[in-house]
Amino acid sequence: MADILIVEDDRRINELIRRTLSMTGHAGITAFTGREALSVLGKSRIDLILLDIGLPDIDGFLLMRRLSEEYGDIPVICVTARDEVPDRIKGLKGGAEDYIVKPFAMEELLARIQVVLRRFHREQTVYHIRDVEVDLAGAAVKKAGVPVELTNREYELLRIFLVNKNIALSRERLLDLAWGRDFYGDDRTVDVHIRRIRQKLGLEKDIKTIFKYGYRLEM
Ligand code: CA
């Protein structure tokens, strides 16, 4: 679990991100202006900052420079609108670890957060789903203390479910994430793999089928 500061003046987007983070076990702290962001940073321990570049009070790039001067050890992911795209490179050079362009899928944001947290060793690596233990750092899966052999693809799917826990993932999205966009597969490919994961780990109840859509790991 990480404490993530969301600096975004669009209240709707801010709240959506906060809720998504809390479903996946992170704590989202909201700030709607640059000034609020600085005030939060002055009093709370923050693991990662999601920074919208278009803020009402402070230019996002100036804010980023200030953050890297004062809070240089906290990684920043920039959130930019499409028309700010030419500025993105500038943003990354200004000290952001990564950037994401609005509008974005929440799974994509979560995936990027996970990568950055991992790089900064601030991510959760061990997950428990009842008697199943998954160690993402060692790619090891155990059930009731006994190692379980998963194929690479099964493991990848399980990892995707864990970092997106409690979030519904469509079959199409799972194909994209676990097999890659170039893979030509159909829904059945996903279904077959999910069935095997459920059987091997006894997660029939935890990996929920969402009618006509996909799956969700509930934990
Ligand atoms: Ca904005």
Side-chain angles (χ1 to χ4, degrees), residues 8-10 52 54-55 102:
E8 165 66 75
D9 61 314
D10 183 324
D52 174 29
L55 289 172
K102 290 194 259 192

Side-chain angles (χ1 to χ4, degrees), residues 105 107 153 156-157 159-160 170-186 190:
E107 306 96 79
R153 208 67 79 177
E156 187 55 17
L157 276 169
R159 193 190 63 77
I160 290 162
S170 69
R171 290 184 173 84
E172 198 187 0
R173 191 74 191 138
L174 287 167
L175 273 174
D176 270 2
L177 291 170
W179 279 267
R181 278 174 207 277
D182 299 332
F183 178 77
Y184 182 77
D186 59 18
V190 177

Side-chain angles (χ1 to χ4, degrees), residues 155-214:
Y155 175 77
E156 187 55 17
L157 276 169
L158 182 61
R159 193 190 63 77
I160 290 162
F161 277 124
L162 285 167
V163 299
N164 293 284
K165 62 187 177 188
N166 300 314
I167 291 182
L169 297 166
S170 69
R171 290 184 173 84
E172 198 187 0
R173 191 74 191 138
L174 287 167
L175 273 174
D176 270 2
L177 291 170
W179 279 267
R181 278 174 207 277
D182 299 332
F183 178 77
Y184 182 77
D186 59 18
D187 294 355
R188 242 194 77 73
T189 315
V190 177
D191 294 342
V192 167
H193 281 78
I194 303 279
R195 194 179 318 139
R196 290 205 204 109
I197 297 171
R198 280 173 169 158
Q199 280 168 356
K200 285 185 181 178
L201 300 176
L203 298 179
E204 286 86 352
K205 290 199 182 75
D206 308 273
I207 302 177
K208 288 256 165 28
T209 302
I210 299 157
F211 185 61
K212 286 189 172 169
Y213 185 75

Side-chain angles (χ1 to χ4, degrees), residues 44-79:
S44 317
R45 198 193 64 89
I46 296 293
D47 296 306
L48 185 146
I49 303 167
L50 293 178
L51 175 64
D52 174 29
I53 286 303
L55 289 172
D57 61 338
I58 303 179
D59 172 80
F61 293 114
L62 279 181
L63 179 60
M64 194 148 62
R65 194 176 315 150
R66 190 151 164 205
L67 292 179
S68 74
E69 281 163 15
E70 290 179 37
Y71 305 97
D73 55 335
I74 307 176
V76 175
I77 296 179
C78 273
V79 181

